[in-house]
Amino acid sequence: MFGLFSFTRLSVDLYPKIELNQITVMTTYSGASAADIEQNVTKRLETALSTVTDLKKITSNSKDNISLVVLEFEYGTSMDEAVNDVRSILDMQRNYLPEECDNPIVFKFSSDMMPIMFISANSDVSSKGLYKILEEKVANPINRID
């Protein structure tokens, strides 16, 4: 009887806060080929970032104009500390990257960044008019909700 009573009063979080154990480092190098980026940016960052503590796996992808390095950490790792470690390593490596290369950007994803709803709209007015209406009447009020 006590169990049934407790079960009915148990709160449920429909979309709990989940912290992923991955960090992505994106570096742009305009005008460079994939081979140049692989040699001058990606390999250098992989080597430097491989020293981060609790690192489980490191993968990279080099394309024309962009380098992506994905760091996967062991479960239970404090991602805030890992991001700080990654940023400090990137600051030290900045002088060894090509001058034309932009500063590396660090992305830490969390469930707060994922959309929980997609809304579509359709109208006979121009797309600029529809965008303005949706921005003022739909998006702004929704963004104010906790």
Side-chain angles (χ1 to χ4, degrees):
M1 191 68 158
F2 181 69
L4 287 174
F5 175 76
S6 298
F7 181 72
T8 60
R9 303 280 188 236
L10 191 64
S11 63
V12 177
D13 192 355
L14 295 178
Y15 202 67
K17 184 174 180 172
I18 299 170
E19 194 171 80
L20 300 177
N21 62 339
Q22 288 187 343
I23 296 173
T24 302
V25 178
M26 181 180 78
T27 311
T28 56
Y29 184 5
S30 298
S33 67
D36 288 340
I37 288 179
E38 177 77 24
Q39 187 64 36
N40 298 322
V41 179
T42 306
K43 292 281 186 191
R44 189 173 304 270
L45 292 179
E46 275 184 341
T47 303
L49 292 171
S50 66
T51 62
V52 176
T53 57
D54 295 327
L55 185 65
K56 181 179 181 181
K57 181 177 163 185
I58 187 168
T59 57
S60 64
N61 191 355
S62 298
K63 296 181 181 181
D64 291 344
N65 303 320
I66 193 165
S67 165
L68 292 172
V69 179
V70 179
L71 306 166
E72 184 180 338
F73 292 88
E74 298 289 340
Y75 285 105
T77 302
S78 170
M79 293 310 291
D80 291 331
E81 290 180 20
V83 167
N84 289 337
D85 291 346
V86 167
R87 285 195 175 126
S88 65
I89 289 172
L90 292 175
D91 287 342
M92 288 187 284
Q93 290 299 311
R94 179 65 190 118
N95 294 330
Y96 300 107
L97 296 176
E99 287 183 21
E100 301 83 17
C101 185
D102 293 333
N103 286 331
I105 300 170
V106 178
F107 293 105
K108 179 183 91 167
F109 298 104
S110 71
S111 61
D112 294 341
M113 300 170 84
M114 292 185 252
I116 58 169
M117 178 174 45
F118 291 97
I119 299 175
S120 65
N122 167 345
S123 175
D124 295 332
V125 299
S126 69
S127 60
K128 287 184 181 180
L130 178 62
Y131 182 80
K132 184 177 179 182
I133 292 168
L134 292 174
E135 187 70 28
E136 292 173 359
K137 304 286 183 186
V138 178
N140 286 338
I142 288 175
N143 284 336
R144 288 188 206 116
I145 298 172
D146 286 338

